[in-house]
Amino acid sequence: MVPPTLWRCLRTPYITHPLKLRPCTHNFTTTLSLSAKPLKPKGPPPSSKMNPGKQRTQSSKLRIKKAPIAVQKPAYEVGQRKELRRRIVLSNTNAIPVALPPMTADLVGNEEAAGAMFALPGGEGDMIVDRLRALGAFQTKQHWPFFHRPCTLFRRETVEIGRMLERVMKREVVGEDGKANERAILHGYYGCGRSILLLQAMTWALQMEWVVIAIPNAHDLVVGHTEYELEGNSHLWLQKAYTTDLLNRVLKANQSAFKQMKLSQNYRLGRMDEAQKGDAMKRVLETAVLDPLLAWDAFNVLLGELGLPGSPPVLFTLDNLNQISIPSKYRDPAFNAIHPHDLALPNTFLAYLSGKRSFRTGITLAATSSKCSRTLALDAALEGRGVDPYEKLDPRIGPSIEGAQIIQVDSLSKREAKALMDYYSESGIMKAPVDIATFSEKYAVSAGNPRDLFGTCLRVRQ
Amino acid sequence: MMQIREFLCIYRIVASGTIIFSGLARRGCICLLASHVPSPRPLNFKSLTVWTKHPNIGRQTSTPYLPSLTMATAGTFMQRCRRALTEIPRLTPQLTCQLPRKPFHHHHCPRFLTTAPASTALTGFSQPLPDVAPRTRLTPLSPSYYTGSPDYYDNLLALQDLLRSHQALPTIHGDEAPEVRWKTMDEYRLMIGDRVKPSRYNKVIRILDRLNRIDPAIMPAETKAALSLYMRPENPELKERAARTVDGFGRAYAIGRRKTAVARVFLVEGEGQTLVNGLPIIKKFSRVHDRESVLWPLIVTNRVDKYNVFAVVKGGGKTGQAEACTLAIARALRIHEPALKHALREAGCVTVDHRQVERKKPGHVKARKMPAWVKR
């Protein structure tokens, strides 16, 4: 085929007039635009000869009605998933109810009760479970939804904690300043039941009308999700929003105790507010809960009042101690990671744990966690090792827990494991009969670890 | 009578009465030499039998050899076997005249277990010639003649017959069966006198193993004799493996290996405590699955609360270490209670898993993976 350019060469050259509009040509076509077909004149289409009305009716018959595109509803509302994730279900009506005695305050320090299951007191009008829930004592993944009502195992370590409560109550451990205090850290392998021991301590303390202050997860304090500000005097970083939240929970759990507490002196709350001498602690906290600016001062008022004679006994707990032994996610203006001990709340707790501050009557209880990155300094401190100068360990960690009793939470004894397995069996979640063979197998495989024991009891062997 | 090693098998009977041998014989077959036979007559009687109209040859050859063959056979089993062979109607002249339609269906007949002596028992010339022979032709005596390796197949079929006849006898588990060392493949080849493929050898060994599992209390003497033919002679100079025992402290010691981990285990009677490298097992193996692996031999035998385990394990990762412990504990447990071998084998604690990570090769990305092909 002959290319058309050849023919173009033979033609007379196309001279363009400078003032004349150039014909619109496309760069990529070889066909002259003038030789192309003229555009069709605008007008009615040839089918317009037909009856327009008829045509319309015909086409309307054929037209398929499209469904309107519905705006897809999100599967979850904002925050709904988080709420579901954190929801704590404490009962299951499908589970078989097991008749168990309640874990009352008269069991405190009772050695003979060790190795038996007890139900948390939650009868008519008894608000213990609700108060525990308010304190955040229950956690997800503690298998509460599998059972008819929350029950716990009375362990050797429970006896130890009970004895501690007893000692403080009877004021057997009074210091020189007339204050009776106990400080302890629960430490053990993963899933050994440290958080449950905290729960048991809280259960007893609430029943004995103690004031219970609980930081359910120290991770919330250091993870960098709450606002923080530097307080000039103490050079500590306040977390006012978190403190408000904490006060709110403490207030919910300790209504009756706070009702009876009267302020011993006037206090300044924030810049403007004042709390008068003789006011009920409950009223002070209720005002503080509404205003985050007052929260930290109110919290200090509470702690200060609890150190005075005549104040009720206190249980101050913190779970996941490891989290405040590693650098926090907060940053100072120079963008250095803030040491968790420079945050006001952890600092306050550690002051009580190390004995720098103390309640009039009280127990400070911390529990370590296994879901944390390595905390070599804390491990060394828990083992009582001195920090090796060649190891680059945080030198502030060791003194922060100094003097605290370390309660080693061990694996379950055979008796305790048997009680637990019987409870699982009676609740209907463990199908195999609890005979010697099954028991020894599951006890050996779980190595007496309560979390693994639950897993092995539920698991069907492949 | 002599054994011919190298040559001579096929012979022809000519109408005049002389026997002309032609072709080569198999190694190891028995050849008969008779002075009054016109020519030396190397015969592979297993291969061919003779049909002839001529009365003289048969009569000449049949009678004199049978007694000497009886002397040649060894063992009661073989005697019984030969007697059966000589007694069976197939060898009588009437039945040898059967129509060639179904020549190889002789399952009801016992077969030879060895080639040499039994084959001599089947001399075609031992048969009185039929009075009425329809035609003169050669019929293979062995039904396996056309398989290509008739010696092997005769042997296999004989063993299968033996097994079939003892099928119903009670058996014991292979782990409890008396330990025997069968002839090696080369020895078996010598015995058969033919090349035997490994797969065929394995078939025979499988049958022998099965026969060996017959309860020794009621094992028939015939089977015993048959099995003894296939056993390797005991070498007294070879030292027997010392049986492991529990030491003076009541400890059983064993080693187990898996991947690159090596576990040394001391097992003592106790109440179910486990220490691995001096740590409680939960500290060493935080996965439930690994702990279950370690204690598996004790779990399946229901001995968890009967023994204490002290293990030292080195090398490898968690899984390898756990499974090395499995093997070591299983072995140590067998020292305490040898009768558990069967249960442990069922649980997979006896067989060693020898697999290792395949090494990386030069030019490969991993052990086998090659770099992606690029055009330029």
Side-chain angles (χ1 to χ4, degrees):
Chain A
M1 192 186 140
V2 185
T5 44
L6 275 180
W7 297 111
R8 213 192 292 170
C9 296
L10 295 174
R11 223 180 268 171
T12 51
Y14 185 83
I15 301 162
T16 53
H17 194 274
L19 295 177
K20 222 176 165 184
L21 278 174
R22 291 176 65 175
C24 180
T25 53
H26 294 289
N27 292 334
F28 56 84
T29 178
T30 52
T31 316
L32 282 174
S33 59
L34 286 176
S35 59
K37 261 188 185 176
L39 284 171
K40 280 174 190 170
K42 279 181 183 175
S47 61
S48 65
K49 282 171 191 170
M50 292 162 70
N51 187 357
K54 196 184 170 189
Q55 189 196 10
R56 207 176 299 134
T57 51
Q58 268 183 346
S59 64
S60 70
K61 266 183 196 170
L62 292 171
R63 192 178 297 148
I64 298 160
K65 216 176 187 180
K66 276 186 186 171
I69 299 164
V71 179
Q72 207 170 9
K73 230 176 138 185
Y76 294 96
E77 299 297 326
V78 175
Q80 195 184 357
R81 267 177 290 206
K82 187 176 182 183
E83 200 270 328
L84 282 175
R85 195 172 66 235
R86 295 194 169 185
R87 176 182 292 169
I88 285 156
V89 181
L90 288 182
S91 74
N92 183 353
T93 47
N94 292 325
I96 303 167
V98 184
L100 290 172
M103 191 155 169
T104 49
D106 53 342
L107 287 167
V108 169
N110 188 345
E111 235 176 86
E112 284 149 23
M117 293 293 295
F118 286 93
L120 293 185
E124 292 291 318
D126 202 342
M127 304 296 284
I128 296 291
V129 172
D130 292 337
R131 290 162 75 190
L132 286 170
R133 194 200 279 269
L135 284 170
F138 298 106
Q139 293 174 9
T140 52
K141 298 186 179 178
Q142 281 177 338
H143 314 309
W144 302 113
F146 291 92
F147 303 100
H148 194 262
R149 59 180 295 199
C151 301
T152 58
L153 176 68
F154 203 113
R155 304 172 56 175
R156 285 166 296 175
E157 290 79 9
T158 318
V159 176
E160 212 164 315
I161 287 175
R163 284 211 188 114
M164 213 155 67
L165 287 166
E166 250 179 353
R167 280 201 298 273
V168 171
M169 251 190 326
K170 292 177 183 167
R171 301 189 68 80
E172 289 171 5
V173 282
V174 181
E176 288 166 4
D177 50 355
K179 291 179 172 182
N181 269 278
E182 282 274 359
R183 294 130 43 198
I185 298 171
L186 301 170
H187 183 53
Y189 301 142
Y190 76 94
C192 64
R194 289 161 288 191
S195 300
I196 296 285
L197 284 170
L198 285 185
L199 167 79
Q200 289 172 341
M202 282 186 225
T203 313
W204 276 334
L206 287 177
Q207 289 183 75
M208 295 189 294
E209 292 302 326
W210 288 29
V211 171
V212 181
I213 306 167
I215 298 172
N217 188 357
H219 190 230
D220 297 338
L221 287 168
V222 293
V223 78
H225 288 185
T226 61
E227 56 192 64
Y228 62 114
E229 62 183 75
L230 185 65
E231 208 243 335
N233 295 335
S234 57
H235 293 286
L236 291 177
W237 297 85
L238 306 184
Q239 290 157 299
K240 288 185 172 171
Y242 186 90
T243 314
T244 316
D245 191 35
L246 176 68
L247 276 187
N248 205 349
R249 282 187 270 124
V250 170
L251 182 62
K252 262 189 207 167
N254 302 298
Q255 293 273 4
S256 55
F258 287 156
K259 221 180 264 178
Q260 290 159 10
M261 271 180 79
K262 305 288 180 197
L263 296 194
S264 60
Q265 63 183 81
N266 290 357
Y267 285 101
R268 192 83 181 268
L269 293 180
R271 285 186 182 173
M272 311 290 286
D273 297 59
E274 265 192 38
Q276 301 293 330
K277 182 182 175 183
D279 280 357
M281 179 59 80
K282 191 189 171 200
R283 210 191 59 76
V284 175
L285 293 182
E286 273 168 354
T287 48
V289 155
L290 299 175
D291 189 356
L293 295 176
L294 310 181
W296 179 247
D297 288 341
F299 188 60
N300 271 330
V301 168
L302 172 64
L303 293 179
E305 284 292 315
L306 288 171
L308 298 177
S311 59
V314 189
L315 177 66
F316 194 6
T317 68
L318 177 135
D319 207 344
N320 303 352
L321 180 68
N322 306 45
Q323 299 285 357
I324 54 172
S325 313
I326 47 175
S328 72
K329 292 283 185 291
Y330 290 107
R331 300 279 179 170
D332 64 2
F335 206 66
N336 298 319
I338 294 175
H339 195 281
H341 291 190
D342 291 335
L343 296 167
L345 265 173
N347 187 284
T348 310
F349 179 81
L350 290 172
Y352 280 100
L353 189 64
S354 58
K356 280 178 201 156
R357 288 176 76 176
S358 49
F359 298 110
R360 173 75 187 164
T361 317
I363 291 177
T364 312
L365 212 53
T368 55
S369 151
S370 307
K371 285 183 187 164
C372 186
S373 41
R374 289 202 304 171
T375 51
L376 296 175
L378 184 68
D379 291 347
L382 287 170
E383 287 169 23
R385 278 191 281 129
V387 176
D388 185 351
Y390 294 102
E391 272 181 304
K392 283 183 180 171
L393 297 182
D394 191 348
R396 293 175 69 179
I397 303 296
S400 72
I401 62 162
E402 210 171 9
Q405 182 195 347
I406 289 157
I407 300 176
Q408 284 289 344
V409 184
D410 217 347
S411 298
L412 297 178
S413 68
K414 282 196 174 175
R415 189 182 161 200
E416 291 163 352
K418 181 75 169 57
L420 209 52
M421 276 175 72
D422 283 337
Y423 172 63
Y424 294 157
S425 177
E426 284 166 29
S427 293
I429 60 162
M430 185 185 164
K431 297 299 177 199
V434 187
D435 52 9
I436 290 179
T438 327
F439 171 75
S440 49
E441 179 204 326
K442 301 217 183 285
Y443 182 75
V445 169
S446 66
N449 186 300
R451 185 191 290 169
D452 289 341
L453 187 70
F454 184 83
T456 45
C457 286
L458 242 68
R459 198 166 50 114
V460 178
R461 202 157 87 183
Q462 303 292 319
Chain B
M1 178 183 146
M2 61 171 286
Q3 190 166 25
I4 285 200
R5 291 240 166 241
E6 292 304 328
F7 56 89
L8 225 14
C9 169
I10 303 168
Y11 56 92
R12 222 150 29 105
I13 300 164
V14 197
S16 64
T18 53
I19 296 177
I20 300 169
F21 59 85
S22 54
L24 291 174
R26 280 163 214 282
R27 274 170 59 197
C29 70
I30 294 294
C31 171
L32 296 176
L33 296 172
S35 56
H36 57 279
V37 176
S39 60
R41 297 171 52 219
L43 302 172
N44 185 350
F45 299 106
K46 270 189 73 186
S47 304
L48 293 175
T49 186
V50 175
W51 285 68
T52 177
K53 262 188 201 171
H54 206 289
N56 294 331
I57 294 171
R59 276 174 204 143
Q60 275 178 353
T61 54
S62 62
T63 37
Y65 300 119
L66 206 51
S68 64
L69 290 172
T70 315
M71 300 301 288
T73 53
T76 52
F77 169 72
M78 291 318 301
Q79 282 174 4
R80 184 182 167 276
C81 189
R82 196 199 59 255
R83 192 166 65 246
L85 288 170
T86 49
E87 281 168 3
I88 53 167
R90 176 181 146 219
L91 299 176
T92 60
Q94 286 76 27
L95 273 180
T96 44
C97 304
Q98 65 191 305
L99 293 172
R101 223 177 279 152
K102 290 182 183 172
F104 297 139
H105 291 195
H106 297 299
H107 290 311
H108 58 282
C109 322
R111 296 177 176 89
F112 316 101
L113 283 170
T114 55
T115 46
S119 61
T120 50
L122 265 191
T123 159
F125 295 90
S126 67
Q127 302 155 9
L129 284 176
D131 294 334
V132 185
R135 52 190 180 272
T136 302
R137 67 164 207 146
L138 300 174
T139 304
L141 181 58
S142 163
S144 315
Y145 179 71
Y146 290 112
T147 58
S149 45
D151 298 327
Y152 166 74
Y153 275 106
D154 278 340
N155 187 250
L156 180 71
L157 290 171
L159 278 172
Q160 280 176 347
D161 283 348
L162 191 64
L163 176 60
R164 198 176 295 119
S165 61
H166 299 329
Q167 196 85 46
L169 294 181
T171 55
I172 53 175
H173 192 269
D175 289 339
E176 289 131 34
E179 203 171 317
V180 285
R181 291 152 80 237
W182 303 122
K183 285 190 171 171
T184 60
M185 190 153 59
D186 291 335
E187 286 165 347
Y188 180 70
R189 278 173 184 166
L190 282 179
M191 185 177 153
I192 288 293
D194 195 2
R195 222 193 108 70
V196 180
K197 283 197 242 173
S199 60
R200 291 180 175 175
Y201 169 74
N202 288 341
K203 265 187 191 174
V204 170
I205 294 299
R206 230 170 289 147
I207 294 172
L208 291 175
D209 280 339
R210 170 64 181 78
L211 286 170
N212 190 40
R213 274 175 48 212
I214 295 174
D215 196 339
I218 53 159
M219 169 101 71
E222 172 194 32
T223 315
K224 251 180 214 168
L227 289 180
S228 67
L229 289 175
Y230 295 90
M231 282 183 199
R232 233 188 295 174
E234 288 294 318
N235 189 347
E237 286 176 12
L238 285 178
K239 218 176 172 184
E240 277 212 1
R241 192 185 291 173
R244 287 186 175 276
T245 48
V246 178
D247 69 4
F249 299 103
R251 300 176 300 188
Y253 172 72
I255 288 184
R257 292 192 179 85
R258 170 85 173 91
K259 291 187 177 179
T260 50
V262 185
R264 291 178 284 141
V265 161
F266 294 91
L267 197 70
V268 286
E269 288 183 20
E271 59 282 339
Q273 292 168 3
T274 309
L275 282 182
V276 183
N277 289 359
L279 300 169
I281 189 171
I282 189 165
K283 187 95 176 174
K284 178 70 186 171
F285 298 110
S286 51
R287 271 180 79 205
V288 177
H289 185 273
D290 287 341
R291 292 205 291 270
E292 197 171 21
S293 291
V294 170
L295 298 171
W296 189 242
L298 299 173
I299 290 171
V300 290
T301 53
N302 202 4
R303 299 285 194 282
V304 177
D305 49 350
K306 309 269 192 308
Y307 290 98
N308 287 353
V309 179
F310 184 89
V312 180
V313 56
K314 280 180 184 172
K318 288 278 177 204
T319 310
Q321 291 190 341
E323 292 178 10
C325 285
T326 313
L327 195 62
I329 290 176
R331 285 171 173 172
L333 186 59
R334 276 173 52 198
I335 295 171
H336 278 286
E337 297 177 63
L340 289 178
K341 185 180 180 185
H342 173 44
L344 289 170
R345 186 185 288 289
E346 291 292 306
C349 300
V350 173
T351 314
V352 179
D353 188 351
H354 63 272
R355 291 176 297 174
Q356 297 266 318
V357 173
E358 190 175 333
R359 67 152 289 182
K360 186 199 174 297
K361 282 92 178 174
H364 288 241
V365 183
K366 300 196 287 181
R368 307 267 176 98
K369 187 182 181 183
M370 287 295 284
W373 181 77
V374 184
K375 193 176 178 185
R376 268 176 290 277

